[in-house]
Amino acid sequence: MNIAVSRAPARQLRRRGLALLWHQIRYEQSTFWRNPQSAFFTFVFPVVVIAIFGGLFGDVGKSDFYYGRSALQYYVSTMAAVSVLGSCYSQLAIVLAARRQNGILKRVRATPLPASVYFVGLLAHCVVVSVVDVLLITMVGRFYGLSLPAASQLPALVLTLVFGAAAFCALGGAVASLIRNAEAAPSVVQFVLFPLVFISGTYMPIHSGLLDGIAGALPVKPFNDALLRAFTTDHTGLPWRDLGVLLLWGAVGAVVAVRRFRWDPRLS
């Protein structure tokens, strides 16, 4: 009897926690869609880019320049990676910096809503946005005749997206902790992201041993490579090295984000 009584409150707490989390995710989604201009460009930019690349490079077949893939196979994978970076890294860092400066984080801290529920809801929203972007990019690739990822690669694709989203959310939180004010957020975010995207071969393959070695130890290129493999091969197995790099960077980002996180804006 005592065991049954003690389990009932535990189940109620779990249900209440799940209800709060679902409410927070819905709130983040509502806030996102209430800014139609931001939502429009979040989804349209990578789709427009891949549509332009499809028109420019749709007839370019498989070549060594694209690592044995066609140009469009290559760019669908890298644009999918960019969409995850945009929602899980750039958007998260800018939103956190703006909410800190506007006092929203301080007000959230004063409410009964657990901090863990607030941040998990925000991270889940970023992941949902990135998944929708990846699906849209894949649909545009299908319009140009690309095949869907092989069934044998679906576990690798899902795991890569999960690891990538988690790593870049953690890095977004870490960068947000270093930003002093909301006005500087876009510049700081792009200052970190811009060189990484280019040396990682997102817009053009990099055939340099030195740059390849440097980029391979950073988070963007392993993410690109893992998605490229998942989108364009039918081999079983997981890209453990690429996933390991993402896991390492995610852990580093999480440590920095937690240790340096502030609810209040800096006064100077």
Side-chain angles (χ1 to χ4, degrees), residues 102-261:
N102 294 336
I104 295 176
L105 292 184
K106 185 177 180 179
R107 291 197 295 272
V108 168
R109 189 184 187 187
T111 69
L113 181 69
S116 59
V117 172
Y118 177 78
F119 285 106
V120 172
L122 179 57
L123 298 182
H125 157 71
C126 293
V127 172
V128 169
V129 171
S130 66
V131 168
V132 173
D133 249 341
V134 170
L135 291 175
L136 289 173
I137 290 168
T138 304
M139 289 171 58
V140 175
R142 285 290 294 157
F143 176 79
Y144 285 101
L146 289 185
S147 58
L148 294 173
S152 60
Q153 279 296 312
L154 289 181
L157 177 59
V158 171
L159 201 59
T160 298
L161 289 174
V162 169
F163 273 59
F168 290 113
C169 280
L171 291 170
V175 170
S177 71
L178 305 175
I179 298 173
R180 290 183 174 272
N181 56 74
E183 289 77 13
S187 300
V188 174
V189 166
Q190 290 304 317
F191 177 78
V192 175
L193 185 61
F194 189 78
L196 279 179
V197 166
F198 273 91
I199 70 170
S200 299
T202 297
Y203 297 108
M204 182 177 293
I206 304 297
H207 296 280
S208 166
L210 177 59
L211 281 181
D212 237 20
I214 295 172
L218 299 172
V220 177
K221 187 175 189 302
F223 190 43
N224 285 347
D225 291 347
L227 284 179
L228 181 62
R229 173 176 171 166
F231 269 102
T232 60
T233 67
D234 57 2
H235 302 299
T236 57
L238 297 172
W240 292 113
R241 183 190 178 281
D242 296 329
L243 295 179
V245 174
L246 290 173
L247 180 63
L248 178 61
W249 278 100
V252 171
V255 169
V256 174
V258 171
R259 290 178 64 88
R260 292 187 54 89
F261 180 78

Side-chain angles (χ1 to χ4, degrees), residues 26-40:
R26 289 178 57 193
Y27 166 78
E28 295 294 346
Q29 284 285 303
S30 298
T31 303
F32 176 74
W33 288 108
R34 284 172 187 166
N35 186 349
Q37 188 175 34
S38 174
F40 178 80

